[in-house]
Amino acid sequence: SKLRVGLLFGGRSGEHEVSIVSAGAIAKALTTGENSQKYEVCPFYIQKNGVWQGEEIARKVLESGSAEENTPNTVNLWQFPQKSPQIDLWFPILHGPNGEDGTIQGLLTLMQVPFVGSGVLGSAMGMDKIAMKTAFAQAGLPQVQYQTVTRAQIWSNPCVFPKLCDQIETTLGYPCFVKPANLGSSVGIAKVRSRQELETALDNAATYDRRIIVEAGVVAREVECAVLGNDHPQASVVGEISFNSDFYDYETKYTQGKADLLIPAPLSQTVVEQIQEMSLKAFAAVDAAGLARVDFFYVESTGEILINEINTLPGFTSTSMYPQLWANTGISFPQLVDQLIQLAIERQPTSD
Ligand code: ATP
Ligand code: MG
Ligand code: MG
Ligand code: MG
């Protein structure tokens, strides 16, 4: 009989819409060709307000590709697993907080059903830029200079704040990047060039998160590598993102035609191999599993390769970097989702 795959998408996140498109592409890949003999897709849609919707509404959202809102709350989240039909395996394709960060992975772990991608630790480490950078540093991976800041330092004591800004100016200088620690799609990120911009950006980032990171800005090419596997993961060819905007912000990421993906990236074989090796190290450093996309800055003038971040549930639409990198490495989109499911089954402990 077919394996029943619970496809979890949407989510309480700024990346809700992307998730719907990613899920649509995955559902299609699971229901066509050879995969259709092996898998049955049971979609579960998490509304922006956190309410879970099963079959009927979830299918409608998948087909239309756009968010459904204000549907009444019929079933509470914690009752859902019991009330839902038997799911053999979960495929969470949620981007950002409340989905890519270990929260959903915790629920699925408690349910004792295998699921695609990283577990609680890997997901949480990959989402929190501060924890991630600590793990990368420990693994000897080169990164930009950075400093961590808390919301309390920004909001609580008016005497602390100017000193903090002074210190950031001296150690990191301008331009620097202010980021909420736990987000994605460049939401809440600002590139700042002056004291006033720094103050505004810190205050704004504090509305998103208790933890904030400030990084020295680098002038570099942006390259990405896909990783697939569990204990013996593989790295894909390397891709590059090209765009004309100031940085790879939300608008550039999601406006058609604002950014181009170059696959494979025009890089020397030596640089490619270094990036692949660093990607595998990063994958292990945060305890990722199944899949991840690792993002880098390549400073061409000095030859430096700096790791920027890891994304444990990267964009998965038909035109997204992650599946495109694998397609160029020889694994088609349907083969990729099939492998991810097999990896999830392989990772499930046989006894406990
Ligand atoms: P994703 O959507 O990939 O999860 P994110 O929200 O986690 O992104 P980052 O990748 O940290 O955010 O940063 C977004 C973009 O901001 C980068 O792709 C890059 O264009 C720019 N950027 C971030 N940090 C720096 C830096 N230190 N120097 C130069 N540019 C930077
Ligand atoms: Mg990210
Ligand atoms: Mg992300
Ligand atoms: Mg990024």
Side-chain angles (χ1 to χ4, degrees), residues 15 100 127 129 132 144-145 176-177 179 183-187 189 191 215-220 222 224 241 243 246-249 253-254 293 295 297 308-311:
E15 296 170 273
E100 190 177 349
M127 179 84 334
K129 292 188 191 299
M132 183 202 305
V144 296
Q145 236 197 309
C176 59
F177 283 79
K179 310 178 179 182
L183 268 172
S185 287
S186 302
V187 176
I189 297 183
K191 180 177 182 176
E215 300 177 8
V218 285
V219 180
E222 296 198 35
E224 303 187 341
I241 299 145
F243 49 86
D246 194 20
F247 70 99
Y248 198 28
D249 59 5
K253 282 180 183 174
Y254 299 115
R293 194 194 74 221
D295 302 352
F297 298 124
N308 172 28
E309 63 155 349
I310 190 166
N311 288 283

Side-chain angles (χ1 to χ4, degrees), residues 276-288:
Q276 289 170 330
E277 193 188 314
M278 288 169 76
S279 298
L280 297 177
K281 265 194 194 173
F283 192 82
V286 301
D287 190 32

Side-chain angles (χ1 to χ4, degrees), residues 74-85:
T74 45
V75 188
N76 287 319
L77 170 66
W78 54 89
Q79 298 171 323
F80 214 97
Q82 287 96 314
K83 292 204 175 180
S84 64

